[in-house]
Amino acid sequence: MSSPLHSWGRYPHTPQAAHACSWVSDVAALRDGVLAAHGTTLAYGNGRSYGDSCMAASDHVLYMRTLDRFIHVDWQQGVVQAEAGVTLAEILAIAIPQGWFLSVTPGTQFATLGGAIANDVHGKNHHLRGTFGNHVRRFGLLRNNEEPLSCSPNENTELYAATIGGLGLTGIITWAEIQLIPIRASQIDSKVVRFDNLAEFFSLSSELDHQHEYSVAWIDCLAKGAQTGRGVFIVGDHARYGSLEVDERAKLSVPLTPPISLINNLSLRAFNDLYWRVHPAQSTRKRSSYEPFFYPLDRILHWNRIYGRRGFQQYQCVIPDAVAEVVMRDLLSAIAESGQGSFLAVLKRCGYIASPGLLSFPLPGTSLALDFPQKADLARLFTQLDAIVREGGGRLYPAKDAHMSGADFRQAYAGWERLEALRDPSLNSHFWKRVTQ
Ligand SMILES: Cc1cc2nc3c(=O)[nH]c(=O)nc-3n(C[C@H](O)[C@H](O)[C@H](O)COP(=O)(O)OP(=O)(O)OC[C@H]3O[C@@H](n4cnc5c(N)ncnc54)[C@H](O)[C@@H]3O)c2cc1C
């Protein structure tokens, strides 16, 4: 491929030369060529990770998106086997008309199967279904100087666990087989409830989460004082009656990257305040297609460009249940005080279902995620937030990260040494070098 690849946040700026894989049978030879010339490499899915975990330490990645064929589908059981570069959108396009949906989906449908496994992504139903890895039946793994392996809960079990959430370091996933969930309609019935502060979020979550498949809250990260953590709580379920239609609405696109970020403190404050106010105080119900419910940002292609040439960072942490409310209040107060933040911050309770993955991010607790335009004084705020997360026994999400210290990573992810022992030495990322070496 001619143009270099970046991560979604376009920060840090380490352009990646892409070596595209066309056939599963050719991946080993392509990888060997890259290794001979550049020493190490890394699989790259569709670049929907924000930080540097999808950036090869050598700056030469194997581009997997072109491995995009379905291998086998079983509509009786809802099982799909496909090459690793198939996107979640492509799976939905064939599964929905047959009455099946992804068991777990992140907030973008443009992630690939390989990327979803390597980051063990989670969605709005973590409290009921765990992570993506909980629904992975098998996958093919290609390691340097080894025969291709099949990994599942019964074969090559250690590599199965280490690859789920393994940040692409245990080998190249060439194909995967996942379990879907049955649906009767592609529409989502949702309920929206506005809340005035963080305490109300926690009580709504305790009351509503277990009654609904999906649950998430958007919060005004700039609200202060008694209004800290005010926002909009959204729960939803697959409609029981309706049609099975793939959403094919035309997408908008941000055509180019402006020299500076279009996000500033004024536009942020106005948007956050307005978003909260346009939602009525009484709860409202609505039926929508699945796309605006799960993937609102996917409607605007290249939306990451609005942050300008310097890019942006996402800060996502999860805080254990026992201290979640007080720690979230401290985090949100620090963010509001700094005046920096994102249009909409996402707050979500994670549940107790353990992932099979060795280095999975979610833990029973509450996750907060928000975007920040990249600028010089961001480091000061992140140092402050990191200290609060550390003291609260929480951790940051490698898929979104471009700044976490090695000490924080190693403290929070006890399985990292096991992953390092199982790492295919021909694979390495900027992230892994930064936090382990
Ligand atoms: C708008 C938006 C919303 C998001 N919402 C969520 C969310 O709700 N929950 C969540 O968990 N994440 C979320 N994410 C993050 C995203 O889902 C993950 O970063 C996902 O892993 C990206 O997949 P990708 O195919 O683009 O992989 P990439 O970003 O290209 O790579 C991610 C990792 O996967 C590895 N990898 C990719 N392909 C392979 C392969 N074939 N073999 C081995 N390793 C491979 C890479 O080496 C890298 O370590 C969101 C991202 C965006 C942009």
Side-chain angles (χ1 to χ4, degrees), residues 227-404:
Q227 294 182 317
T228 299
R230 72 177 180 178
V232 176
F233 200 88
I234 304 164
V235 287
D237 296 283
H238 293 283
R240 288 170 60 79
Y241 307 102
S243 54
L244 290 167
E245 283 170 69
V246 179
D247 216 319
E248 282 167 334
R249 254 172 280 203
K251 309 264 186 295
L252 303 168
S253 179
V254 178
L256 38 88
T257 309
I260 55 160
S261 171
L262 302 182
I263 312 294
N264 58 44
N265 289 4
L266 264 183
S267 58
L268 266 182
R269 200 169 288 284
F271 180 92
N272 273 299
D273 189 63
L274 185 71
Y275 186 84
W276 186 79
R277 278 178 208 289
V278 293
H279 287 88
Q282 307 77 17
S283 71
T284 50
R285 289 173 188 277
K286 80 170 182 187
R287 171 170 287 207
S288 64
S289 167
Y290 68 93
E291 209 183 60
F293 181 81
F294 290 108
Y295 314 116
L297 291 169
D298 285 352
R299 303 287 291 279
I300 305 172
L301 301 174
H302 308 294
W303 63 260
N304 53 343
R305 289 178 176 163
I306 61 172
Y307 287 94
R309 293 200 191 122
R310 296 177 79 174
F312 69 109
Q313 293 195 53
Q314 182 164 108
Y315 193 95
Q316 181 166 6
C317 61
V318 61
I319 306 295
D321 268 336
V323 292
E325 188 170 339
V326 47
V327 172
M328 281 300 162
R329 180 163 296 114
D330 288 350
L331 288 170
L332 289 170
S333 302
I335 292 164
E337 215 44 62
S338 79
Q340 306 179 63
S342 60
F343 277 138
L344 292 168
V346 177
L347 210 51
K348 158 94 195 99
R349 286 285 271 284
C350 296
Y352 286 79
I353 298 174
S355 162
L358 184 62
L359 240 66
S360 191
F361 159 71
L363 49 76
T366 301
S367 153
L368 170 71
L370 67 171
D371 299 337
F372 295 90
Q374 177 57 31
K375 48 184 172 180
D377 56 355
L378 194 54
R380 195 148 39 102
L381 174 64
F382 279 11
T383 304
Q384 206 183 340
L385 301 182
D386 289 352
I388 299 171
V389 171
R390 190 183 311 126
E391 224 175 297
R395 62 189 179 206
L396 303 182
Y397 189 8
K400 309 288 181 73
D401 184 68
H403 82 278
M404 148 171 43

Side-chain angles (χ1 to χ4, degrees), residues 20-33 62 67 142 174:
C21 303
S22 304
W23 301 96
V24 167
S25 53
D26 295 346
V27 175
L30 182 76
R31 175 204 56 201
D32 292 347
L62 299 177
L67 285 185
L142 193 63
T174 47

